[in-house]
Amino acid sequence: MSGTERRHGDVRRALRELFADAGVSGLVHVADVRRPEAAVTLGPDERVPIASVYKVPLMAAFWRQVDAGVLDPRRAVTLDPSQRVAGPTGISVLADPVTMSLRDLVVLMMTVSDNTAADAVLRAVGPAAVAQTCRALGLPDTHVHGGVAHTWDRLVAETGTGSLSAAMRHIASNDTAAPEDVYDPAHTSSSTPADIARLLHAIWTDRAASPAHCAFMREVMSRQPWRHRLASGFPYDDVRVSGKTGTLGALRHEAGVVELPDGSTYTAVVFTRAARADATLPRADAAIGTAARTAIESLRSHPPL
């Protein structure tokens, strides 16, 4: 066994132990943006439901359609209360009609993970354009099936409950087992850590869309306010962490990019599934940031020749 293989084995073992201690199973893909072949991975090609991480390929598809002249980002959209998609943030919690540009809806869906905004953007872009974007960017295992509205409808059906609130209580209970179809990647938006890492790399190297629109995507991802997952591993003012979280029942994910003071930049994708169904599991959230930091430290300690 070579020294490199031994180091890779050591860091994968450390990641497994970290996840086990936090009560989760985890998948990881962390790579140097300048040399994406330099990566630390754990189950990088395993396809899983990605929850709100689907909003990243949706955002890329939106800007590619703008670049092609298909969509006007300034086009105003009015969303009535009847079009609300359940969610804890943004337009999803408002009671009155809202009129906003498509571009600003993208900002809301990425910064505060607004489900109603994302649903409106997906209607404008269309699932076929998202699928085409995934093919064009080399993401063969990434599939977006109807966004959050589709996920909520399936969740109610699969749990046999009569409402979304009842379905959420069902999958958050440790006294009842969630139907396995809830976490079946064949029936909901899904991807792999490797695919999402490739997408982030394309955004950070101006290949996902035009340079100006890739810059927009980088900026909007840097404005996500949640600091309890990926960013928790890098609690420093001079480290920039951009990301998109995803949460569904026992699933806690984040996909993002870590930019260090010396200019080095790393894509960091960590997907987890908790053994317990509790809605609040701080150690599971923090394990995402710790796993990313562990992988980045390994890459920096043993850079490839």
Side-chain angles (χ1 to χ4, degrees), residues 47-68:
R47 189 159 67 95
V48 296
I50 54 174
S52 282
V53 175
Y54 88 90
K55 295 166 185 172
V56 184
L58 173 57
M59 175 176 64
F62 171 81
W63 284 116
R64 288 172 71 88
Q65 286 208 305
V66 171
D67 288 336

Side-chain angles (χ1 to χ4, degrees), residues 246-267:
T247 308
L248 175 65
L251 305 178
R252 287 169 173 78
H253 306 326
E254 187 154 3
V257 172
V258 178
E259 299 174 75
L260 301 180
D262 63 2
S264 56
T265 304
Y266 299 86
T267 55

Side-chain angles (χ1 to χ4, degrees), residues 40-298:
V40 169
T41 64
L42 186 64
D45 299 315
E46 183 174 337
R47 189 159 67 95
V48 296
I50 54 174
S52 282
V53 175
Y54 88 90
K55 295 166 185 172
V56 184
L58 173 57
M59 175 176 64
F62 171 81
W63 284 116
R64 288 172 71 88
Q65 286 208 305
V66 171
D67 288 336
V70 176
L71 287 178
D72 178 356
R74 298 166 297 181
R75 189 180 101 198
V77 176
T78 298
L79 299 173
D80 293 321
S82 62
Q83 295 173 292
R84 300 290 187 264
V85 178
T89 60
I91 299 170
S92 294
V93 301
L94 302 182
D96 298 314
V98 172
T99 299
M100 188 174 291
S101 71
L102 284 171
R103 174 170 48 197
D104 284 345
L105 288 170
V106 171
V107 172
L108 282 184
M109 85 172 185
M110 293 301 298
T111 54
V112 296
S113 204
D114 187 328
N115 288 337
T116 296
D119 191 59
V121 173
L122 182 57
R123 286 199 302 272
V125 172
V130 180
Q132 194 281 329
T133 291
C134 291
R135 290 193 299 270
L137 296 179
L139 316 177
D141 296 314
T142 299
H143 306 280
V144 174
H145 296 294
V148 174
H150 172 80
T151 298
W152 290 166
D153 289 345
R154 285 200 60 85
L155 184 61
V156 172
E158 288 161 1
T159 56
T161 55
S163 67
L164 179 60
S165 59
M168 288 296 195
R169 288 194 298 273
H170 182 89
I171 65 172
S173 171
N174 288 303
D175 297 323
T176 59
E180 195 56 33
D181 279 355
V182 169
Y183 301 117
D184 186 344
H187 301 309
T188 187
S189 295
S190 59
S191 188
T192 66
D195 262 20
I196 298 300
R198 280 190 288 270
L199 174 57
L200 294 172
H201 185 268
I203 294 171
W204 256 255
T205 57
D206 290 341
R207 294 186 302 103
S210 66
H213 293 148
C214 282
F216 178 99
M217 290 189 271
R218 294 192 293 270
E219 176 63 23
V220 78
M221 289 185 71
S222 77
R223 294 183 178 274
Q224 178 186 245
W226 323 134
R227 310 293 295 177
H228 61 311
R229 291 186 183 168
L230 183 58
S232 70
F234 307 90
Y236 313 108
D237 290 342
D238 55 357
V239 177
R240 177 180 168 113
V241 178
S242 307
K244 182 69 201 75
T245 58
T247 308
L248 175 65
L251 305 178
R252 287 169 173 78
H253 306 326
E254 187 154 3
V257 172
V258 178
E259 299 174 75
L260 301 180
D262 63 2
S264 56
T265 304
Y266 299 86
T267 55
V269 181
V270 184
F271 296 161
T272 71
R273 180 171 174 175
R276 293 184 59 82
D278 308 64
T280 302
L281 290 172
R283 291 181 65 195
D285 289 321
I288 292 173
T290 305
R293 188 183 69 243
T294 298
I296 289 174
E297 287 175 348
S298 176

